Amino acid sequence: QAQLVESGGGSVQAGGSLRLSCEAPGYTFSRYCMGWFRQAPGKEREGVAIIYTGNSNTAYVDSVKGRFTISQDNGQNTLYLQMNSLSPEDTAMYYCAAYFQFFYGGGCSRSRSDYKYWGQGTQVTVSS
């Protein structure tokens, strides 16, 4: 069973950037939907960026479009989230998640309940 490990979180001032990484040592994510979710205190966990590793198609929640970029390395065992122009509203615990999907079909789910594998999370704090 794949274990996901996030890294790259931290504290940054508004307008700054961070890059999150998600690795699964010894595991290759071919034909997986992979995503970055975040959860702020008192709020539900929301999907912010999703990628299908089979064709690199991506999708983003409106609030991060144009600021965040999800990508994968060529070996398909590391997932990234480049976050630019960060604002205090982006403060949250960020989680990497994945589930297997053989065909791209209609795309990847944005529902957290469909994601089978989860990391422990990495904290992102943006100060004004």
Side-chain angles (χ1 to χ4, degrees):
Q1 180 157 333
Q3 292 186 326
L4 305 178
V5 181
E6 302 98 335
S7 62
S11 297
V12 65
Q13 289 192 327
S17 298
L18 285 173
R19 188 175 83 155
L20 306 184
S21 298
C22 172
E23 295 181 288
Y27 207 84
T28 298
F29 287 98
S30 175
R31 296 182 182 274
Y32 272 76
C33 288
M34 299 192 74
W36 288 96
F37 289 72
R38 66 184 180 187
Q39 187 166 19
K43 294 188 177 181
E44 291 194 358
R45 193 173 297 187
E46 67 167 346
V48 296
I50 295 167
I51 188 168
Y52 181 62
T53 62
N55 59 16
S56 298
N57 275 19
T58 60
Y60 299 89
V61 69
D62 286 345
S63 61
V64 308
K65 284 181 180 177
R67 300 188 300 122
F68 290 11
T69 302
I70 188 171
S71 63
Q72 58 180 326
D73 71 345
N74 289 334
Q76 297 180 324
N77 59 5
T78 304
L79 183 72
Y80 302 101
L81 185 67
Q82 178 67 43
M83 304 186 295
N84 299 327
S85 302
L86 285 162
S87 72
E89 289 70 32
D90 296 314
T91 295
M93 184 71 79
Y94 283 72
Y95 299 88
C96 173
Y99 72 94
F100 178 76
Q101 181 164 297
F102 191 80
F103 292 110
Y104 177 68
C108 292
S109 171
R110 299 192 185 202
S111 173
R112 59 176 290 189
S113 62
D114 289 321
Y115 287 76
K116 180 177 181 180
Y117 306 108
W118 289 86
Q120 295 300 307
T122 185
Q123 178 67 39
V124 172
T125 302
V126 185
S127 58
S128 58

